[in-house]
DNA sequence: CTGTATCCTCATTGATACTG
DNA sequence: CAGTATCAATGAGGATACAG
């Protein structure tokens, strides 16, 4: 796609180049865009949790999606997967330090959400009322 | 779905109840999950921009998606749409204060991304090498 | 210029069944 | 218990054409 080029006049506030596919911002947002990933990270924040416990706690997630999410998070170095050779096998997931720092960064966003949610809802009602 | 109930032992770090559909965190993440919305907000951070300028600057976005995104952001009270009755019509989009605060909150995430991206990539390479 | 409408494709997801 | 495999359905998103 685009390799560089954006209106040159203003500072690159979000990212060196938000249009580049390899932009860090894009990647983090993709990760957050996965609505389940963050719930998994959150659930692991203070606990070591097994696969089925995650599935049970994060209500609504399917087995397939959970295993996908876990694989991605593990690949990113955010969580640790530990398998014990019991019968049947036991697998535990836990947060790595990198995952911990991400959760901490995210909390500023959640704080924003809690603070401004009422404003957003008010704006939505206003908008809906005026537009039909 | 689930109305309450989650392992009660640990603090509700992310949200009062991440399983509830009306959880603020969910909503903000949904908004961020829309990969284009943030690019639009970013582009508006210091400028007032017209529709086609946005379309041109945010390379790869389609007309349809751009208009959807703009409508959502306007509905949320994050941006302001101003139409001038010229011929042909002129429409300008700008950031409202609420949108500005969101962008600021997001910047902590982008900072995390820039700081830790190399660690993630290293982890990915390690993972790919070990798993084939 | 600023959109809306339509069609179409492709990726994500859920459900289900099966394996080590 | 902890996944993988397969299939069907749903919907987001692109391309294109058209309208105010």
């Amino acid at each position: 796609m685009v390799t560089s080029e954006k209106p040159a006049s203003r500072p690159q506030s979000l990212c060196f180049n938000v249009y580049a596919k390899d932009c860090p911002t894009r990647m983090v947002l993709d990760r957050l865009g996965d609505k389940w990933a963050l719930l998994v990270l959150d659930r692991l924040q203070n606990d070591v949790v097994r696969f089925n416990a995650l599935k049970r706690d994060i209500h609504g997630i399917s087995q397939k999606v959970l295993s996908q999410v876990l694989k991605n998070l593990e690949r990113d170095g955010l969580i640790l997967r530990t398998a014990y050779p019991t019968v049947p096998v036991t697998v535990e997931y836990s947060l790595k330090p990198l995952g911990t720092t991400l959760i901490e960064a995210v909390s500023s966003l959640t704080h924003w959400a809690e603070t401004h949610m009422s404003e957003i809802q008010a704006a939505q009602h206003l908008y809906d009322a005026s537009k039909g």
Side-chain angles (χ1 to χ4, degrees), chain A:
Chain A
M1 314 272 166
V2 163
T3 51
S4 63
E5 244 73 281
K6 102 190 264 195
S9 51
R10 81 204 176 79
Q12 305 292 327
S13 48
L14 254 186
C15 181
F16 305 117
N17 178 6
V18 281
Y19 304 128
K21 285 194 299 291
D22 60 349
C23 166
T25 301
R26 278 288 185 91
M27 194 181 151
V28 170
L29 294 178
D30 284 351
R31 177 69 58 240
L32 295 180
D34 183 346
K35 72 172 178 177
W36 299 114
L38 218 57
L39 296 181
V40 170
L41 288 177
D42 179 58
R43 182 64 190 83
L44 293 178
Q45 185 158 25
N46 296 308
D47 299 321
V48 173
V49 190
R50 293 170 63 174
F51 185 88
N52 275 343
L54 284 171
K55 184 173 177 332
R56 195 177 338 107
D57 293 343
I58 303 176
H59 195 92
I61 196 170
S62 70
Q63 225 170 17
K64 188 174 77 172
V65 171
L66 178 56
S67 74
Q68 280 174 0
V69 168
L70 288 170
K71 213 178 289 184
N72 285 334
L73 293 175
E74 188 197 357
R75 179 171 181 267
D76 288 349
L78 298 171
I79 68 174
L80 178 67
R81 178 187 185 275
T82 313
Y84 300 99
T86 54
V87 178
V89 62
T90 300
V91 179
E92 286 181 350
Y93 291 93
S94 59
L95 220 53
K96 281 181 154 185
L98 191 57
T100 305
T101 66
L102 176 55
I103 277 287
E104 283 163 0
V106 164
S107 67
S108 84
L109 260 194
T110 65
H111 180 255
W112 184 93
E114 291 169 356
T115 308
H116 297 284
M117 185 52 44
S118 58
E119 291 180 66
I120 287 189
Q121 287 173 336
Q124 289 178 343
H125 292 145
L126 222 61
Y127 183 93
D128 294 345
S130 69
K131 304 277 177 165

